[in-house]
Amino acid sequence: RGWESWAMAVATVNLRALTSWVGIARLLAVLLSCLAFSLVASTGDFGGPYGTWCMFTWCLCFVVTLLVLLLELLELYPALPLSWDDFTSAFSMLAALMVFTTSVVFPSTFISSPCSGSKCARQAVATAASCLCFLAYALEVGLTRAKPGDISSFLSTVPGLLKVFEAYVACLIFSLLDGYASKAGLQWCVAVYSICFIITFLITIFTIGRCLSYMPCPLEKMLVGYNALAFLMYLTATILWPLYSFRDSQRPQDCGKDCLWNKRLGVTFLTIFNLIAYLVDLVYSSRMVFIRAP
């Protein structure tokens, strides 16, 4: 009976989880993320919030992607109480954004000029591996993106992927927020970032957890209304944040990477990015409702 059980287990192994293009992209992401955090760990120089973020990103991507591969290889994912396609699409998009950010933050923070020695070489190779890891996740996003007219997996559609992007950009904005309590205009902007993040995050979680069917109104129409409201709210934040942040304020001479002026400039650009994302999201979600694909 032991051999029979083993034979049945082998029979359920899905080798296409490793040999398909999506599987190959995931394997590359696992190897490259492992290489990146191993090289950086060997240098011992990854302290501070930026180093912790980089190591967390590589380790998280390695563990979750390896788990995804194992669950698909053994075909165990149907037993999970979630929408597997939505989960993998959302995570690949999130991983691509996180690794891209890390690929920019790590070299700008830890690689000094001039660069020499074995430590610098390991940091440079880790940066290259991180960039290639981003390309692997971007390839996975492209391969798993839903075709036009297919809404069976919402988070693999353009509006679904934009939801992940919008939530991630909001998290980056939160990491840069500082010194806004004294001005009502800045407080309104923070409220906009928080409200839109919470609703976008809940839409993503409810989609993965298959809870949207319990909503009293159709998802497509709700998304159109929410995206229109979020776009208008971000439009006010795009105007008010730089107005209240830089009015009668010049960049200090000794403004470093943790300078308040630089942080507010970063929030300004990220607000514009999310404004554009919500506009594109509104256009695509409107087409899903008002222009039906044949």
Side-chain angles (χ1 to χ4, degrees):
R1 295 182 60 85
W3 281 104
E4 291 177 359
S5 301
W6 181 84
M8 291 179 61
V10 171
T12 59
V13 171
N14 179 20
L15 293 180
R16 279 191 55 80
L18 302 178
T19 58
S20 65
W21 284 111
V22 175
I24 293 172
R26 289 170 178 166
L27 279 174
L28 288 174
V30 168
L31 295 174
L32 291 167
S33 58
C34 180
L35 177 62
F37 76 71
S38 298
L39 287 172
V40 173
S42 68
T43 65
D45 186 12
F46 52 89
Y50 294 110
T52 303
W53 163 257
C54 294
M55 291 294 285
F56 169 76
T57 296
W58 292 322
C59 292
L60 176 69
C61 293
F62 169 78
V63 171
V64 176
T65 306
L66 182 60
L67 183 61
V68 167
L69 281 173
L70 290 175
L71 289 174
E72 291 207 343
L73 180 65
L74 301 176
E75 294 191 338
L76 297 175
Y77 63 89
L80 298 176
L82 51 82
S83 174
W84 183 251
D85 291 337
D86 284 312
F87 169 74
T88 54
S89 297
F91 178 76
S92 60
M93 182 64 177
L94 178 63
L97 294 170
M98 292 177 68
V99 174
F100 175 78
T101 306
T102 299
S103 301
V104 175
V105 169
F106 179 77
S108 61
T109 304
F110 292 96
I111 299 181
S112 58
S113 181
C115 181
S116 61
S118 62
K119 175 183 174 181
C120 184
R122 282 176 284 174
Q123 290 174 329
V125 174
T127 301
S130 185
C131 294
L132 293 174
C133 186
F134 159 71
L135 294 178
Y137 279 117
L139 176 62
E140 182 184 349
V141 171
L143 291 171
T144 57
R145 188 171 70 86
K147 303 298 185 294
D150 181 13
I151 58 173
S152 59
S153 173
F154 171 69
L155 292 181
S156 64
T157 63
V158 173
L161 295 173
L162 284 171
K163 286 287 175 284
V164 180
F165 177 84
E166 292 154 3
Y168 181 74
V169 172
C171 290
L172 294 181
I173 290 175
F174 293 145
S175 69
L176 295 175
L177 289 178
D178 193 8
Y180 57 85
S182 60
K183 297 180 180 179
L186 298 183
Q187 291 176 0
W188 163 254
C189 294
V190 175
V192 169
Y193 304 143
S194 302
I195 293 171
C196 293
F197 168 76
I198 291 172
I199 298 176
T200 302
F201 180 74
L202 288 177
I203 291 173
T204 305
I205 295 299
F206 286 170
T207 303
I208 295 174
R210 298 174 178 171
C211 299
L212 292 176
S213 59
Y214 299 104
M215 301 191 67
C217 57
L219 172 64
E220 295 86 354
K221 294 182 179 179
M222 183 200 71
L223 288 177
V224 173
Y226 166 65
N227 290 331
L229 178 62
F231 171 74
L232 293 176
M233 293 175 68
Y234 259 90
L235 183 61
T236 63
T238 304
I239 298 171
L240 293 178
W241 181 267
L243 178 65
Y244 281 90
S245 294
F246 304 113
R247 185 173 56 185
D248 302 326
S249 176
Q250 294 183 346
R251 188 175 188 274
Q253 294 286 342
D254 56 345
C255 193
K257 62 182 180 181
D258 293 326
C259 175
L260 179 61
W261 198 94
N262 281 351
K263 289 182 177 180
R264 289 182 172 178
L265 182 63
V267 172
T268 300
F269 280 106
L270 291 172
T271 302
I272 295 173
F273 291 159
N274 248 3
L275 175 70
I276 297 172
Y278 276 111
L279 176 60
V280 177
D281 199 351
L282 175 61
V283 171
Y284 269 90
S285 59
S286 299
R287 289 179 61 186
M288 290 173 61
V289 173
F290 301 111
I291 304 177
R292 294 291 181 180

